Amino acid sequence: MVAFGKKLKERQIQEWQGYYINYKLMKKRVKQYAQQIQLETLDRRHVLKDFSRMLDNQIEKTVLFLLEQQGLLASRIAKLGEEHEIIQQEPRLSRIAELREAYRAVGLELLKLLFFVEVNAVGLRKILKKFEKRLGYKFTDYYVKTRANHPYSQLQQVFKHVGVGAVVGALSRNLHELQKYEESQGSFVSIYDQPTLPLQDPVIDSIRAAVDRLTNSTNFLNFLGKHALIVDEELSAPVDEHVDDQKYHFMSLSLNLANTFLYMVNTYIIVPTADDYSMSLGAAPTVCGIVIGAMAVAQVFSSVYFSAWSNKSYFRPLVFSSIVLFLGNAMYAMAYDLNSIWVLLFGRLLCGFGSARAVNRRYISDCVPAKIRMQASAGFVSASALGMACGPALAGLLQTEFRIFNITFNQDTLPGWVMTIAWLLYLAWLSITFKEPSRGIEENHIPHQSNTENSALEKGLRHPLLTSSENKVDEDADQDNDDSEEAPKESRQPANSIGAAYRLLTPSVKVQLLIYFMLKYAMEILLSESSVVTTYYFNWTTSTVSVFLACLGLTVLPVNIVVGSYISNMFEDRQILMASEVMVFIGILFSFNVIIPYSEPQYVCSGLLMFVSAEVLEGVNLSLLSRVMSSRLSRGTYNGGLLSTEAGTLARVIADGTITVAGYVGVSRLLNITLIPSFLICAISIIATCYTYNSLY
């Protein structure tokens, strides 16, 4: 594997070489600092000041060149605009075609400029990490904190485009108008006077993709997509799109999203009646914690084997999942007539062993084209949220009782029978319409690039330096030995065990996983004990509990729309993260039964505050997790999605176990006892976030 410094030099555009950050010089300076500090000829303060000054100069050089090039592009667009005006006066189709190609040529130059910015951004992140590794100082925290919002610092301009949006807009508008002009056979039609589809042009699409990666935009779809921890690559080569299009099958994607929806319905449809069902089988009402949590216990193990299985197939794991869920729900429903709590629990365990969410995530990540991957990721989260709301709502509608062939159908068993039928229908649909994607496209299928493209740009498109995975792989692979241009192949390989994956976790990643654990624990406590708590304090019926839980689930999408479209554009992710944690903490605090009598408004308002804040926290948490996690955890069986799933599932298991254990103390103390761990874990996560706050960017 070629080291980053050599790769950086290969990807540079020759005529712009003098304007890139001098990575080699800075790497040599870091090595000198390390030697001088070891010999005690330099102190820490001098090193920080000297290296900061060097970074400031390098960044300023890059940004000033960027602005100069943007000015040249703007001048070219202005001249083309004059030709555009002439064509409107004297229309000729041949000249229109020439003008469109001229605009596309400007677009290719802009794409080169965006690659220039990306290369410098990665080089900057790389040298900051190398400095910390060699000298042991938390320099990144200091440098980013002091430069991020300073009026004279140009640090942010390296990571965010400067006025590129105006250039992209001008190119898109003119190309679109010329296209409309050709379609209307010479009559001018303004694009502003009629609704129209976005311009479909490969150059513009590539530019927009690059701009999105630079700005790390957090619109609604991106915000929802990050919930799924399916992170779009920062740069997709044309060959990647070619491969994706061959793998993509809309009906297969729909089946994966349907699987996600049905599984979430299956998880929450029993929550309103689990305590009732437990008592009808002779157990305590708080055994509902084990009944609900049994599914999560099995999911801890199923996530691993489904993740591994998806390396070879997507169809067979989904078939297996459907069969296991069919059997599990049938056993859950039959436990009533068999009068066996063990059959009930085994049925729920089987349902957990059928959790194919790892396959659903993997399918979206591997088989959906990059241009719609974020929409598919948002669909995954939306399907989960809708299933979470529909589950309790459906349970509230199944308030009836009858018998057929000595089989009892009532509010306790009907959720199981309904899901049994649902999974049988899903299995039939899956068998008929799912298409197994092809694997392993040969290299000779790669289309040749246009001869008009710059050779350095062509290298960047074929082997993008700055994909989210590859730039982080480079960081992982770059060794402390500065004299070596080669790094061990193993340093680029995905983790092959849970232990190997754990060793790749930095403090920032560990804190984000702790936060994820905390929010899942708090949410599970609220949802799983809701039926027992509300029956004890307020005498709520099953229908009332179902409505309450359904209303909580229905808040997910509206809240994410507000946060993803507005709040995330006004505040940094880490600021939203901290605020959400504090709000969850307040929600937990106000949920305690310290005021007698405990009132419905107190329970509903505190629960709503905690749940909504946890939902906001989840999206921001996974967004940050996708940035700070090593790219070696983005591939293979033991990937970042699996780790976050395991953390969340483990939290649910412990929360449900806590409810059952606390039930032995008495239902009157159940609420406060189960809230104490949530309170403590939330407090610890806030402290840990403060500790790693400056590394979350």
Side-chain angles (χ1 to χ4, degrees):
M1 185 206 74
V2 181
F4 176 78
K6 188 173 181 180
K7 182 175 289 187
L8 176 64
K9 188 174 181 180
E10 289 176 352
R11 301 292 170 80
Q12 289 180 355
I13 299 168
Q14 294 300 315
E15 62 267 29
W16 293 354
Q17 274 191 340
Y19 302 101
Y20 287 88
I21 62 170
N22 196 330
Y23 179 79
K24 185 176 181 180
L25 174 64
M26 290 190 289
K27 189 172 75 169
K28 187 178 293 185
R29 185 67 61 86
V30 169
K31 185 178 180 181
Q32 292 173 353
Y33 289 147
Q35 293 172 344
Q36 291 173 328
I37 288 177
Q38 191 174 9
L39 297 173
E40 298 183 350
T41 58
L42 274 182
D43 62 7
R44 174 178 177 274
R45 187 168 183 176
H46 179 272
V47 168
L48 292 178
K49 283 189 174 182
D50 189 59
F51 194 61
S52 296
R53 190 182 305 112
M54 173 179 272
L55 281 175
D56 291 340
N57 292 335
Q58 293 289 326
I59 291 170
E60 184 175 273
K61 172 184 68 176
T62 299
V63 171
L64 291 177
F65 176 75
L66 171 65
L67 294 173
E68 178 187 347
Q69 292 301 309
Q70 284 182 199
L72 294 176
L73 291 178
S75 297
R76 288 179 61 181
I77 292 175
K79 289 181 180 178
L80 291 176
E82 294 174 2
E83 294 182 30
H84 196 165
E85 290 290 335
I86 295 173
I87 287 177
Q88 290 180 23
Q89 303 295 329
E90 303 174 9
R92 278 192 295 177
L93 294 180
S94 59
R95 292 185 63 185
I96 292 174
E98 291 175 3
L99 188 57
R100 287 181 67 180
E101 290 306 314
Y103 275 118
R104 287 197 182 103
V106 176
L108 288 174
E109 289 297 317
L110 177 59
L111 194 55
K112 281 172 53 179
L113 192 59
L114 292 173
F115 275 113
F116 169 81
V117 178
E118 286 184 305
V119 169
N120 283 288
V122 169
L124 180 59
R125 286 196 295 265
K126 181 76 167 150
I127 200 64
L128 287 169
K129 184 173 181 178
K130 181 172 284 293
F131 184 93
E132 290 187 346
K133 194 172 183 180
R134 292 296 301 266
L135 278 72
Y137 299 155
K138 290 188 176 179
F139 179 72
T140 301
D141 291 358
Y142 158 77
Y143 190 77
V144 172
K145 185 177 180 180
T146 55
R147 267 72 173 173
N149 298 311
H150 196 283
Y152 300 148
S153 173
Q154 296 175 341
L155 175 66
Q156 290 298 324
Q157 312 308 333
V158 178
F159 294 99
K160 295 183 179 181
H161 63 280
V162 188
V164 172
V167 180
V168 176
L171 287 173
S172 301
R173 181 184 66 81
N174 284 284
L175 282 171
H176 211 157
E177 285 189 353
L178 290 171
Q179 177 181 308
K180 287 289 183 183
Y181 196 77
E182 283 184 326
E183 292 173 355
S184 61
Q185 298 296 318
S187 62
F188 176 74
V189 179
S190 173
I191 62 171
Y192 300 112
D193 294 336
Q194 57 181 7
T196 185
L197 294 174
L199 174 66
Q200 301 297 319
D201 187 278
V203 174
I204 296 299
D205 289 344
S206 297
I207 292 171
R208 285 173 179 160
V211 170
D212 286 342
R213 290 187 295 272
L214 275 175
T215 56
N216 192 27
S217 58
T218 52
N219 59 29
F220 175 49
L221 288 179
N222 278 305
F223 188 79
L224 273 186
K226 293 297 175 62
H227 277 66
L229 202 59
I230 303 168
V231 185
D232 201 9
E233 290 186 1
E234 288 192 30
L235 185 61
S236 296
V239 63
D240 296 332
E241 292 296 324
H242 175 70
V243 173
D244 283 340
D245 288 338
Q246 289 192 359
K247 289 184 177 182
Y248 178 58
H249 183 237
F250 174 76
M251 191 56 70
S252 299
L253 173 61
S254 301
L255 282 160
N256 274 278
L257 297 180
N259 184 282
T260 298
F261 169 76
L262 287 176
Y263 187 78
M264 293 304 289
V265 172
N266 210 147
T267 301
Y268 290 100
I269 194 172
I270 71 150
V271 173
T273 58
D275 58 332
D276 233 14
Y277 205 167
S278 301
M279 288 190 293
S280 68
L281 298 179
T286 50
V287 173
C288 70
I290 294 180
V291 174
I292 296 170
M295 203 165 170
V297 170
Q299 192 179 342
V300 171
F301 304 98
S302 67
S303 296
V304 178
Y305 69 73
F306 271 115
S307 182
W309 202 349
S310 64
N311 290 326
K312 299 180 179 179
S313 174
Y314 298 102
F315 177 69
R316 288 191 291 273
L318 290 176
V319 170
F320 176 78
S321 165
S322 304
I323 294 172
V324 170
L325 283 157
F326 169 80
L327 295 174
N329 282 289
M331 291 186 68
Y332 179 86
M334 290 188 293
Y336 188 90
D337 291 308
L338 296 173
N339 195 31
S340 172
I341 189 71
W342 295 109
V343 173
L344 182 76
L345 291 173
F346 189 71
R348 286 294 286 180
L349 278 171
L350 270 183
C351 290
F353 281 120
S355 170
R357 286 172 67 80
V359 179
N360 305 144
R361 278 193 179 102
R362 187 71 177 271
Y363 184 87
I364 294 173
S365 177
D366 292 352
C367 303
V368 176
K371 58 189 175 186
I372 62 168
R373 192 172 299 143
M374 192 55 72
Q375 289 93 321
S377 302
F380 176 87
V381 176
S382 300
S384 299
L386 189 59
M388 184 180 179
C390 287
L394 189 58
L397 297 175
L398 301 176
Q399 303 299 302
T400 185
E401 184 171 356
F402 56 92
R403 291 175 67 85
I404 301 177
F405 300 116
N406 293 323
I407 298 176
T408 304
F409 296 86
N410 58 23
Q411 66 171 10
D412 297 331
T413 63
L414 275 172
W417 290 122
V418 167
M419 294 313 302
T420 299
I421 296 171
W423 286 112
L424 183 61
L425 294 174
Y426 175 81
L427 181 60
W429 181 25
L430 179 72
S431 303
I432 295 170
T433 60
F434 190 87
K435 180 182 177 182
E436 184 77 75
S438 60
R439 294 171 182 267
I441 305 293
E442 296 296 328
E443 284 296 324
N444 57 16
H445 289 156
I446 297 174
H448 293 289
Q449 295 289 329
S450 169
N451 292 330
T452 61
E453 293 183 29
N454 182 280
S455 60
L457 176 60
E458 185 174 339
K459 287 182 181 179
L461 286 169
R462 287 183 180 272
H463 304 288
L465 176 66
L466 298 160
T467 60
S468 60
S469 59
E470 191 166 341
N471 79 52
K472 291 182 182 177
V473 169
D474 282 330
E475 291 182 12
D476 295 332
D478 194 40
Q479 304 298 305
D480 280 336
N481 185 358
D482 293 315
D483 299 325
S484 175
E485 286 295 337
E486 301 295 326
K489 184 178 179 180
E490 292 77 8
S491 65
R492 292 179 63 98
Q493 298 300 318
N496 54 13
S497 67
I498 288 289
Y502 181 80
R503 287 192 291 273
L504 291 172
L505 303 184
T506 62
S508 296
V509 175
K510 290 177 182 177
V511 169
Q512 295 309 306
L513 289 175
L514 171 65
I515 294 171
Y516 193 68
F517 178 93
M518 177 273 292
L519 69 90
K520 286 297 182 183
Y521 183 93
M523 290 171 69
E524 189 71 10
I525 288 290
L526 171 66
L527 298 173
S528 295
E529 71 178 12
S530 58
S531 183
V532 178
V533 169
T534 55
T535 300
Y536 176 79
Y537 285 107
F538 318 126
N539 293 318
W540 280 9
T541 63
T542 299
S543 297
T544 307
V545 176
S546 300
V547 171
F548 172 67
L549 294 178
C551 289
L552 287 180
L554 289 172
T555 62
V556 175
L557 289 179
V559 168
N560 281 318
I561 289 173
V562 173
V563 176
S565 299
Y566 303 104
I567 296 179
S568 61
N569 293 323
M570 295 187 289
F571 302 98
E572 296 178 16
D573 280 358
R574 56 182 180 174
Q575 293 174 324
I576 302 173
L577 181 86
M578 180 62 78
S580 300
E581 284 184 90
V582 172
M583 296 306 292
V584 171
F585 183 81
I586 294 172
I588 294 171
L589 189 63
F590 280 103
S591 295
F592 279 95
N593 180 17
V594 292
I595 301 174
I596 301 176
Y598 195 55
S599 64
E600 291 180 53
Q602 179 186 350
Y603 177 78
V604 172
C605 291
S606 60
L608 186 63
L609 175 63
M610 180 169 63
F611 185 85
V612 169
S613 301
E615 275 299 323
V616 174
L617 180 60
E618 181 177 1
V620 181
N621 167 246
L622 293 180
S623 175
L624 288 169
L625 187 60
S626 68
R627 296 186 210 170
V628 298
M629 186 176 285
S630 167
S631 68
R632 291 176 62 189
L633 295 173
S634 68
R635 311 182 305 281
T637 300
Y638 301 95
N639 52 60
L642 176 65
L643 290 180
S644 63
T645 298
E646 293 292 270
T649 304
L650 187 61
R652 290 171 54 204
V653 170
I654 295 174
D656 292 323
T658 303
I659 293 171
T660 300
V661 172
Y664 288 103
V665 181
V667 179
S668 61
R669 299 181 180 179
L670 176 68
L671 181 66
N672 285 349
I673 290 176
T674 54
L675 285 174
I676 289 173
S678 299
F679 180 84
L680 294 175
I681 298 171
C682 188
I684 292 170
S685 72
I686 292 173
I687 295 170
T689 302
C690 292
Y691 177 74
T692 59
Y693 184 79
N694 287 328
S695 63
L696 302 176
Y697 65 95

